Amino acid sequence: MKKKRVYGLMATMMLAASILGACSDNKENKASTSGNVDNVNATGMPIAKDKIEVDGFAAKFFASQDWNSLMLWQEYEKMSNIHINWTTVQTEVLADKKNLLLAAGNYPEIFFASAFSRTDLLKYGQQGVFIPLNDYIDKYAPNFKKLLEEYPTVKQGITMADGNIYGFPTIYDPKFESLRVGAPWINQQWLDKLSLKSPETTEDLYKVLKAFKENDPNGNGQQDEQGWGSGYGIKQFIDYLRGSFGLNKQGTMNPNLDFKEGTKEFRFVPTTDEYKQLLEFLNKLYSEDLINKDVFTTEPQKFAAEAGKGTFGMLSEVDPKELFKLDGYVGAHVLEGPNGDRQYTAMSNGLGNLGMFVVTDKAKNPEAMVRWIDHLYGDEGTKMFFMGFKGVTYEEDAVGNVKYVDNITNNPDGKNLDQAISDYLTWPGGYYPGIVTQKYFQGAEAKENSINNAQQVMPYALKDEDIIPGLNYTLEENEQVSAILTDIQTYVDEMTASFITGKASFDKWDDYKKTIEKMGLEKYMKVAQAAYDRTKK
């Protein structure tokens, strides 16, 4: 799960929309009242007076789950009087499946955990496929409305340039630091065995990984040790190192953009000299087998089998003790890079995926569905979603502290926590709407090791006021940006992999930059700058 944060000053997107003159096919933003509104209770449970059925589509992490018989949804149905007929797909095929549904017009009443992007929200919102939620939130979502008032940059981030909100997002509690930040995990036992200190610089990191690989720190007489591994792609490595190379000092909500030094003018991160330095460093690690060679092709569950052998000296993702049942790992330090930069910059304002819950124009009971999802942004709903049910998945002491039962944390069938809780709940994998709080989220990030990891990262973390929320474009701008950036991003990703693996020589760096410029970079930068400048007005 990514580390996030919420804070900052409010920018008035409604005013920006009037300045832009952005228009919507929906001339009126007011929520139309459905014919079934009389069946909806204003407060409390059940939500529906008479039981209703709703067709829903969702992404899930574990293929074995049957959401139509899962305890979470069965119990919530009893509470709410709302039955969801779930169609689910695994996250790996989510993009294709949801796009096919929308293209064919065969889409459901609600999309849950479907991770619609800003582009999709604006596109389908303008088409009238996703209904504007502003007035529904005002009338039927008191929990979510309170969060928007408390964290105005979240409201800014989810409000499109036409003034409408089309999706409920994931929000990460700003007080939950170990969910917000975290360095990779390094094997302290191996460091001790080789009389090494945890790396403080990028050069130290290279030397330590090399020592791990060559000097038999596990003491078995074989050279079976590996350096640094990840099952979630090269992005895990890049994000950890961005701040060590002076990149993304405005956070990673706009990962390709940060400011030129001493200005408020954007530069394109993947064409900077610092990004080249970062790739050269990763190429050095890759070419000497100090990072897993299958990093560009492996999948999380496949990598887990390899990592579980305990042969990696450093691991990204969450605490290896929780994920792979491996002891001896502690949080690595934020590193000083070759130019003296030492900062953790892979941060957001606490706003995760925007379109985690959308209501379509096919919804017969939009008021009820907004009340249904709003429950997951309140205390009781958050408790249910992440902890489950008292006496079954958690126990509670006299003062209200909750913890998972032993069957979850020490599963007799050898399942890790994610696997065990997924027999009842859907949060493992990180795809969901709602707010993640330390009180009720008891995954790996809530454990002592992760808290300690975050504490040693925080002194180097970005200041909240320096983090720029995601940019919201008008429909016209969005079409321009999508057309340009889709091609550019594909090329950047391909060349990033090629530079790191050595398939492309760094002698071709200038050609790489020129190719990006020819793909419309200047136009993209002008649109992005204009979108940012509007938020300052």
Side-chain angles (χ1 to χ4, degrees):
M1 181 176 299
K2 296 292 181 188
K3 319 305 191 243
K4 311 284 179 178
R5 180 67 184 251
V6 183
Y7 272 143
L9 300 174
M10 183 174 184
T12 310
M13 294 306 293
M14 294 293 285
L15 176 60
S18 67
I19 294 172
L20 296 171
C23 61
S24 168
D25 292 338
N26 305 312
K27 300 300 183 183
E28 183 65 51
N29 289 340
K30 296 288 185 180
S32 60
T33 302
S34 74
N36 300 314
V37 67
D38 291 341
N39 190 38
V40 179
N41 288 313
T43 59
M45 293 288 173
I47 294 171
K49 298 172 185 176
D50 297 321
K51 185 174 180 178
I52 61 176
E53 292 196 15
V54 178
D55 292 328
F57 175 92
K60 62 182 179 181
F61 186 67
F62 288 105
S64 58
Q65 281 188 327
D66 177 7
W67 280 29
N68 289 302
S69 61
L70 202 65
M71 185 176 186
L72 171 65
W73 302 129
Q74 290 182 334
E75 292 300 313
Y76 193 24
E77 177 181 336
K78 295 175 186 177
M79 295 167 54
S80 65
N81 220 11
I82 297 173
H83 174 77
I84 311 292
N85 296 308
W86 290 111
T87 298
T88 58
V89 300
Q90 280 194 268
T91 53
E92 290 85 352
V93 297
L94 170 62
D96 289 340
K97 294 294 186 181
K98 68 184 181 183
N99 289 339
L100 285 172
L101 288 176
L102 288 162
N106 188 29
Y107 51 86
E109 296 177 70
I110 61 167
F111 283 93
F112 183 98
S114 293
F116 285 104
S117 65
R118 276 181 167 74
T119 299
D120 287 338
L121 291 175
L122 186 60
K123 173 185 175 181
Y124 293 111
Q126 295 272 302
Q127 290 178 2
V129 174
F130 298 165
I131 67 171
L133 299 167
N134 306 46
D135 282 4
Y136 289 110
I137 290 168
D138 190 51
K139 295 177 183 178
Y140 300 103
N143 295 316
F144 187 65
K145 183 179 178 181
K146 182 179 178 181
L147 289 171
L148 297 188
E149 292 169 352
E150 187 174 359
Y151 304 124
T153 59
V154 171
K155 183 176 183 180
Q156 175 188 337
I158 66 173
T159 304
M160 300 297 102
D162 64 0
N164 285 330
I165 296 170
Y166 294 108
F168 284 85
T170 307
I171 301 174
Y172 300 96
D173 187 346
K175 297 177 284 293
F176 196 171
E177 289 183 351
S178 54
L179 193 65
R180 176 190 185 192
V181 302
W185 300 87
I186 194 164
N187 193 319
Q188 184 64 50
Q189 294 175 352
W190 286 12
L191 289 171
D192 294 342
K193 178 72 178 294
L194 300 178
S195 299
L196 296 171
K197 293 182 179 180
S198 188
E200 298 281 350
T201 69
T202 51
E203 184 59 26
D204 288 345
L205 175 62
Y206 166 73
K207 293 177 180 177
V208 166
L209 294 178
K210 195 171 180 64
F212 281 169
K213 185 175 186 296
E214 297 177 353
N215 296 338
D216 192 29
N218 66 13
N220 67 355
Q222 303 176 37
Q223 196 176 46
D224 56 351
E225 294 87 349
Q226 303 182 70
W228 181 9
S230 171
Y232 286 86
I234 200 65
K235 184 177 183 295
Q236 297 288 312
F237 299 85
I238 291 174
D239 280 351
Y240 170 54
L241 295 170
R242 286 179 187 273
S244 300
F245 286 84
L247 298 170
N248 295 96
K249 293 182 180 180
Q250 282 67 53
T252 48
M253 298 190 76
N254 307 283
N256 289 327
L257 301 172
D258 66 6
F259 290 145
K260 296 177 182 177
E261 191 67 32
T263 75
K264 299 290 185 180
E265 181 183 351
F266 282 137
R267 63 176 184 167
F268 191 68
V269 168
T271 58
T272 61
D273 292 342
E274 293 89 341
Y275 191 74
K276 180 185 179 184
Q277 283 184 300
L278 191 160
L279 297 188
E280 287 174 330
F281 178 70
L282 287 174
N283 168 257
K284 181 179 181 180
L285 299 185
Y286 186 91
S287 64
E288 298 189 34
D289 291 332
L290 302 181
I291 59 179
N292 55 308
K293 280 296 185 74
D294 63 354
V295 66
F296 294 101
T297 57
T298 191
E299 297 176 353
Q301 293 179 0
K302 178 182 177 182
F303 179 77
E306 182 67 22
K309 299 175 182 178
T311 57
F312 282 100
M314 198 155 112
L315 288 162
S316 294
E317 290 87 58
V318 298
D319 183 3
K321 181 176 179 63
E322 303 299 326
L323 196 58
F324 308 122
K325 299 187 180 299
L326 297 174
D327 292 320
Y329 288 83
V330 299
H333 297 309
V334 176
L335 304 176
E336 180 179 327
N339 306 315
D341 296 288
R342 189 174 192 176
Q343 197 169 27
Y344 185 90
T345 63
M347 299 174 65
S348 83
N349 70 343
L351 181 59
N353 282 307
L354 302 191
M356 277 304 193
F357 183 86
V358 301
V359 183
T360 75
D361 61 342
K362 293 188 178 184
K364 297 178 285 292
N365 302 274
E367 300 89 355
M369 296 320 300
V370 169
R371 279 212 61 207
W372 184 89
I373 194 61
D374 184 62
H375 186 61
L376 301 188
Y377 290 90
D379 190 74
E380 286 302 314
T382 301
K383 182 179 182 180
M384 176 187 73
F385 189 79
F386 288 107
M387 295 302 302
F389 304 93
K390 188 175 181 179
V392 179
T393 56
Y394 76 85
E395 55 192 22
E396 188 170 2
D397 64 21
V399 294
N401 296 315
V402 295
K403 66 176 182 178
Y404 289 125
V405 297
D406 192 62
N407 190 56
I408 301 297
T409 55
N410 296 290
N411 187 264
D413 297 324
K415 296 178 179 179
N416 64 25
L417 189 147
D418 282 11
Q419 293 166 335
I421 201 65
S422 72
D423 289 338
Y424 307 90
L425 308 176
T426 66
W427 65 257
Y431 271 63
Y432 44 76
I435 181 167
V436 188
T437 67
Q438 191 165 0
K439 182 178 180 181
Y440 294 129
F441 182 81
Q442 296 192 8
E445 290 90 345
K447 301 298 176 64
E448 183 179 3
N449 268 4
S450 295
I451 292 171
N452 291 338
N453 186 337
Q455 286 177 345
Q456 58 94 19
V457 170
M458 282 305 296
Y460 302 97
L462 284 179
K463 295 179 180 179
D464 303 314
E465 58 267 26
D466 291 333
I467 299 172
I468 297 177
L471 301 175
N472 283 320
Y473 301 107
T474 67
L475 185 61
E476 180 182 359
E477 289 173 335
N478 191 71
E479 290 173 351
Q480 294 173 345
V481 167
S482 295
I484 296 170
L485 198 55
T486 298
D487 291 340
I488 288 180
Q489 190 64 58
T490 299
Y491 180 68
V492 167
D493 292 344
E494 290 174 352
M495 290 305 295
T496 292
S498 293
F499 283 127
I500 291 172
T501 60
K503 291 180 181 178
S505 168
F506 285 98
D507 292 340
K508 301 295 184 181
W509 184 259
D510 286 342
D511 293 338
Y512 156 77
K513 290 170 60 176
K514 289 176 182 176
T515 299
I516 293 175
E517 290 169 1
K518 291 176 182 177
M519 297 171 83
L521 179 61
E522 183 179 359
K523 186 174 183 180
Y524 162 67
M525 296 300 289
K526 286 181 179 179
V527 173
Q529 190 70 48
Y532 170 74
D533 291 343
R534 284 196 303 267
T535 68
K536 300 291 97 181
K537 297 178 182 179

